[in-house]
Amino acid sequence: MFKLALRTLRLRKGGFLATFVAVFFGALIVSACGGLMETGIRSETPVQRLAAAPIVVGGQQTLKLPEDDPATLDPGDKHKFENATLPERVRLDAALADRLRAVPGVTRVVGEVSFPAQAGSASALGHAWDSAVLTPYTLSGRAPQPGEVVVDAGLGIAVGTTLPVAAHGGIGQYRVSGIAEAPQAMRDPALFFAPSDASRLSGHPGRFDTIGVFGGDVAAVSAAVGDAGVVTTGVDRGGLEFPEVGKSGEDLIVLAAVSGGLSAMVLLFVVAGTLTLSTQQRQRELALLRAIGTSPRQLRRMVLGEALVVGLLAVGAAVALGPVLGNWLFDQLAAHHVVPDVLRFEQGWLPATVAAGTSLLAVVAASFVAGRRVSRVRPTEALAEAAVERRWLTPIRVITAILCFAGGTALAIVTVAVMTGPVAASTAGPAVMLWAFGLAAISPGVTKVTASLLRWPVQAITGVNGRVALRNTRVGAVRAAGAVTPIMLAVGIATANIYLQTTQEAVSNQAYTEDLRADAVVAGPSGLDPSVRERVAAVPGVAGASEYVASTVFVEKPFDSNQDKDGWPALGVSELTGNAVEVPAKLGRNVGDTLSLRLGDGTPVEVRVAAVVSQRPGFERLVLPAGLLAPHTTLGLAPQLLVRAAPGVDTASLTSRLRSVTAGLPVSVGDREVLIAAHAKGDEIGAWVNYLLVGMIIAYTVISVVNTLVMATARRRREFGLQRLSGFTRGQVLRMAGVEGGLIAAIAVLLGTLVAAGAIVPFCLVVSGSPLPSGPVTIYLAVLAIAVVLSLVAILVPAWAATRGRAVDATSIGE
């Protein structure tokens, strides 16, 4: 049977080429997503600033709750925070460096601080000069004294220049005493200050970001550090230099898992449809094999052998090119600041193995479905049934449809009854695939019913060509369903995911603007000195000014069951002071209650509930005093100051006065629209990721649509020839094919819209209270237009090619 399979492949290249294309692109996408997942799991970051230190000690960026602290969570709840990544940099007490110097074998201990600085118009990171040995840098000139700075060679600033440097909310003039040149490329240019200046400008005196250790045993150093930090060597040092990589790696894992899982499902879906259609087109040939004595088992083995040969070739090519696509996707994510550009793309053998296994499993499953039907034909009936489509509704199809529809309904109920806000997308999204799988299982029947419903408008518009096209679609429902299904999938996925995203963006922007009372904003990239608020508040026409800090906090006690491992979003404002906190009603606390919190850097604090407010579901947050929250952020200062205009003062006058009063400070002034645009830009990053990965999957589905339609139409050469011999002109045949393409597109669009509605409606009811999504209707019209154009082109082009010769010649060849 395998020898026969190989011979068949040589004679039927067209049909098997379609299967090859479907398997290749599916395996390629799964392999690329596997590479992204491996990259997130490894989170390998080449060390730069700390390259010379063999051992690096850093803060514990994972939330760790001491066992003996009575204010911590109950044991049953602690597991929810075991892997929580702290969003702010955790710093080390400088006293730890003294302990490390006493470790036997340690020859040198160097503390390192990094803080954002602006050298003229260039952005850089400031450090203390004594930490330059951690790279190490080569100095031209001399080390900086207080009031001096050593600049990175890449900045192109000469020795002796007086350089204005903005850092920690202030600006100062520093004389350039030397030029430092790094042995390798750095992500950020460096500015080196005297240790006393660096300690002051960092905003965290007496604390280090990391500590480099030279000499000594790793075990001895770890024992000296204890729970005060983490000890790393080798490539792991990069994670301490760039702590943002940890959270980005987690996000990349989730992103790749969702995209890869969706791709795998689409792969199974498309390969099964393509292989089944290819097998159905060979029904006369396979029926003849049954008639001459081929057993059902032999026939199944032959179909499996053909599929495996094609699958192995496709998987081999996809696995070889998977890292190329994965690396390109990773570069796009890094270019759009979704992941840090210092993170290194890694793809080993495991993603290739998973992609190969998934793809071959899909091929085996599809070949089983395709071969099972043909192998059940009785030899005495084989030739009689070869030209007629047999019963398609099998128990497996019925059970699959019931399970998928039940799952989609359950997800819709969970979305409406349980979910709130943007998280509703986590259940609404998978519902698309369940509804699509359910309709695909019974697509021949649904296609026949829908075609019957469209009979009158199609006949009225297209006449005799429409009647013939309708009859072809109803009689060949299984064949038509093979073309309808991938288009339905493409329309459903595209419509659902795009409108879920646009609705989420619209609701997020609405929630932000509802709570925004500011008319202007004063922003400082290196933070705002607290004195700026006093200066701005004294400006005529200013009704109020508040520092604005964003971070994340974790509610430890009383335990909050609504809280996941990412904690609660938190805002810091100047209106609150001391240890007061404003909480959402969802938290279930009362005024006067005491909460035990962990701030973004892991610092424990006790706060008192000063107010309980109702907030939009899904966008709840805690509000804390800016003076309490800001020192425990990476920057250490509030990055923004929100300003409210007094009655009768217009925005233009307000911003003009603010620019005058802040002249000479390292700040920028903008109006309300600047704040809204900045918030929308943050949402655009997430939207871009969704569009990129979903677009990739849709592109694969579109390829499968064209693949399926071209294959289905090209095999109808004999049918077209018989129609021409019976009196049809070539133009009539082409018009009939065009009507079929339009009919298939219409059926697929209707079903795809139904699939998308199964996810969109529950989600919109939760986040906006309306069953209709937010976003322009042109998106939906564009999806429909693309589906129709693809259908018509994929049918008319091969139909035109199939009718080029004489009709009698077309009838003389087999199917």
Side-chain angles (χ1 to χ4, degrees):
M1 282 294 106
F2 280 99
K3 290 183 179 179
L4 182 59
L6 292 174
R7 291 178 181 176
T8 307
L9 289 175
R10 292 198 298 269
L11 296 175
R12 292 187 174 273
K13 298 182 179 67
F16 293 113
L17 179 61
T19 304
F20 177 91
V21 170
V23 177
F24 170 76
F25 282 104
L28 181 67
I29 296 174
V30 173
S31 178
C33 290
L36 294 178
M37 179 177 288
E38 182 178 353
T39 300
I41 294 173
R42 289 176 177 269
S43 292
E44 290 190 1
T45 307
V47 64
Q48 297 181 9
R49 269 277 296 129
L50 310 175
I55 303 174
V56 176
V57 181
Q60 177 61 263
Q61 287 296 147
T62 300
L63 185 61
K64 188 174 183 180
L65 304 175
E67 298 289 345
D68 58 349
D69 188 347
T72 58
L73 302 179
D74 295 333
D77 300 322
K78 294 181 69 170
H79 70 279
K80 294 195 175 184
F81 297 104
E82 286 177 355
N83 298 315
T85 300
L86 293 169
E88 312 293 349
R89 179 182 278 278
V90 179
R91 293 179 169 84
L92 303 168
D93 195 304
L96 179 59
D98 296 329
R99 294 209 309 268
L100 291 174
R101 291 187 181 96
V103 174
V106 171
T107 58
R108 190 172 191 178
V109 176
V110 180
E112 193 268 345
V113 295
S114 296
F115 51 91
Q118 195 84 9
S121 59
S123 297
L125 284 180
H127 312 278
W129 171 248
D130 56 4
S131 68
V133 298
L134 297 174
T135 307
Y137 279 83
T138 301
L139 176 63
S140 298
R142 61 179 178 82
Q145 300 297 316
E148 294 181 336
V149 64
V150 169
V151 299
D152 196 297
L155 294 175
I157 301 173
V159 174
T161 304
T162 299
L163 182 67
V165 177
H168 197 60
I171 189 167
Q173 302 293 326
Y174 294 84
R175 182 182 180 277
V176 178
S177 65
I179 308 295
E181 186 168 355
Q184 59 178 334
M186 297 286 176
R187 184 184 71 172
D188 303 295
L191 297 177
F192 291 101
F193 299 87
S196 58
D197 286 343
S199 178
R200 173 176 52 83
L201 295 175
S202 71
H204 302 280
R207 303 189 71 82
F208 293 131
D209 292 358
T210 55
I211 298 175
V213 181
F214 295 81
D217 180 71
V218 175
V221 172
S222 298
V225 172
D227 294 334
V230 293
V231 179
T232 61
T233 59
V235 71
D236 293 337
R237 296 172 296 168
L240 295 184
E241 184 173 350
F242 305 103
E244 68 272 17
V245 168
K247 186 65 172 69
S248 297
E250 293 178 4
D251 295 340
L252 190 58
I253 292 171
V254 174
L255 185 67
V258 172
S259 302
L262 181 60
S263 301
M265 288 192 291
V266 174
L267 167 66
L268 178 62
F269 201 101
V270 171
V271 171
T274 304
L275 195 57
T276 299
L277 180 60
S278 176
T279 305
Q280 288 170 352
Q281 291 179 343
R282 298 167 54 203
Q283 191 169 340
R284 186 183 297 275
E285 169 196 330
L286 298 174
L288 180 60
L289 289 174
R290 285 288 293 121
I292 63 176
T294 305
S295 68
R297 180 180 179 184
Q298 288 176 317
L299 207 58
R300 289 194 298 268
R301 286 177 57 193
M302 186 191 74
V303 173
L304 175 62
E306 293 171 349
L308 281 179
V309 170
V310 176
L312 287 171
L313 293 174
V315 166
V319 166
L321 295 176
V324 178
L325 176 60
N327 196 29
W328 180 83
L329 288 173
F330 180 81
D331 289 342
Q332 300 306 306
L333 295 174
H336 289 78
H337 309 291
V338 179
V339 296
D341 53 6
V342 293
L343 188 63
R344 184 167 60 191
F345 178 76
E346 294 284 346
Q347 182 160 350
W349 61 269
L350 187 58
T353 303
V354 172
T358 301
S359 303
L360 292 178
L361 183 62
V363 169
V364 171
S367 65
F368 172 79
V369 174
R372 179 175 176 272
R373 182 180 179 190
V374 176
S375 66
R376 295 176 63 185
V377 177
R378 292 191 298 271
T380 56
E381 301 174 352
L383 294 179
E385 292 192 6
V388 180
E389 289 188 348
R390 293 178 285 117
R391 184 174 62 89
W392 59 269
L393 189 60
T394 62
I396 293 179
R397 285 180 177 266
V398 173
I399 293 172
T400 300
I402 292 174
L403 291 177
C404 289
F405 290 149
T409 303
L411 286 178
I413 294 173
V414 170
T415 300
V416 174
V418 179
M419 297 297 177
T420 58
V423 295
S426 61
T427 52
V432 177
M433 299 305 301
L434 287 176
W435 289 114
F437 273 32
L439 283 177
I442 56 173
S443 58
V446 176
T447 298
K448 185 179 293 188
V449 171
T450 310
S452 299
L453 295 175
L454 296 175
R455 180 181 59 181
W456 295 111
V458 171
Q459 289 181 353
I461 297 174
T462 59
V464 66
N465 293 318
R467 286 195 292 273
V468 176
L470 282 166
R471 183 173 295 274
N472 285 340
T473 302
R474 292 200 299 268
V475 172
V478 175
R479 182 193 65 198
V484 166
T485 299
I487 302 177
M488 170 197 70
L489 187 62
V491 171
I493 291 178
T495 304
N497 282 277
I498 292 175
Y499 277 115
L500 286 177
Q501 186 65 52
T502 56
T503 302
Q504 188 167 322
E505 289 181 46
V507 172
S508 176
N509 289 334
Q510 183 179 359
Y512 181 76
T513 54
E514 283 176 351
D515 295 336
L516 185 62
R517 298 293 181 264
D519 299 300
V521 58
V522 179
S526 60
L528 296 173
D529 189 277
S531 63
V532 175
R533 176 174 173 266
E534 299 175 3
R535 185 184 301 189
V536 168
V539 172
V542 171
S546 173
E547 293 176 315
Y548 186 84
V549 185
S551 186
T552 300
V553 299
F554 301 86
V555 179
E556 282 190 334
K557 192 174 182 181
F559 175 68
D560 172 31
S561 59
N562 296 311
Q563 177 182 217
D564 60 20
K565 73 172 187 177
D566 292 326
W568 278 95
L571 297 181
V573 297
S574 302
E575 285 80 359
L576 293 178
T577 58
N579 68 338
V581 62
E582 177 187 289
V583 301
K586 179 181 178 180
L587 194 59
R589 300 294 104 195
N590 299 314
V591 174
D593 289 350
T594 299
L595 298 179
S596 297
L597 306 179
R598 290 287 181 123
L599 301 181
D601 63 351
T603 302
V605 296
E606 297 282 335
V607 294
R608 182 185 56 81
V609 177
V612 178
V613 296
S614 296
Q615 298 176 358
R616 177 185 284 262
F619 296 91
E620 295 93 348
R621 58 184 181 269
L622 273 63
V623 182
L624 298 161
L628 174 64
L629 193 62
H632 299 282
T633 61
T634 300
L635 190 60
L637 292 173
Q640 292 180 327
L641 186 69
L642 302 186
V643 184
R644 190 174 181 181
V649 177
D650 61 272
T651 302
S653 300
L654 178 64
T655 54
S656 176
R657 296 173 188 176
L658 293 177
R659 290 190 180 96
S660 298
V661 77
T662 58
L665 297 177
V667 301
S668 61
V669 176
D671 57 15
R672 177 186 175 90
E673 298 304 318
V674 172
L675 283 168
I676 296 175
H679 178 267
K681 186 176 182 179
D683 289 338
E684 288 173 3
I685 293 177
W688 182 88
V689 175
N690 183 52
Y691 295 150
L692 173 68
L693 295 176
V694 172
M696 180 177 63
I697 297 171
I698 292 173
Y700 169 51
T701 310
V702 166
I703 291 172
S704 302
V705 169
V706 176
N707 189 25
T708 301
L709 289 175
V710 169
M711 180 177 65
T713 307
R715 296 293 299 171
R716 298 173 63 188
R717 184 178 179 186
R718 185 170 181 269
E719 175 191 332
F720 293 154
L722 289 172
Q723 288 178 333
R724 292 167 66 190
L725 289 177
S726 64
F728 274 65
T729 66
R730 186 187 182 199
Q732 287 176 316
V733 172
L734 291 178
R735 285 193 291 274
M736 179 208 69
V739 174
E740 281 190 40
L743 184 60
I744 287 173
I747 295 172
V749 163
L750 289 174
L751 298 181
T753 302
L754 182 63
V755 165
I760 292 175
V761 172
F763 176 79
C764 293
L765 287 174
V766 170
V767 300
S768 65
S770 168
L772 298 177
S774 300
V777 70
T778 52
I779 295 175
Y780 180 67
L781 296 178
V783 171
L784 303 194
I786 293 173
V788 172
V789 170
L790 280 174
S791 301
L792 292 178
V793 171
I795 285 181
L796 287 176
V797 171
W800 175 81
T803 56
R804 288 183 63 187
R806 297 186 306 167
V808 67
D809 293 336
T811 60
S812 64
I813 64 173
E815 292 181 357

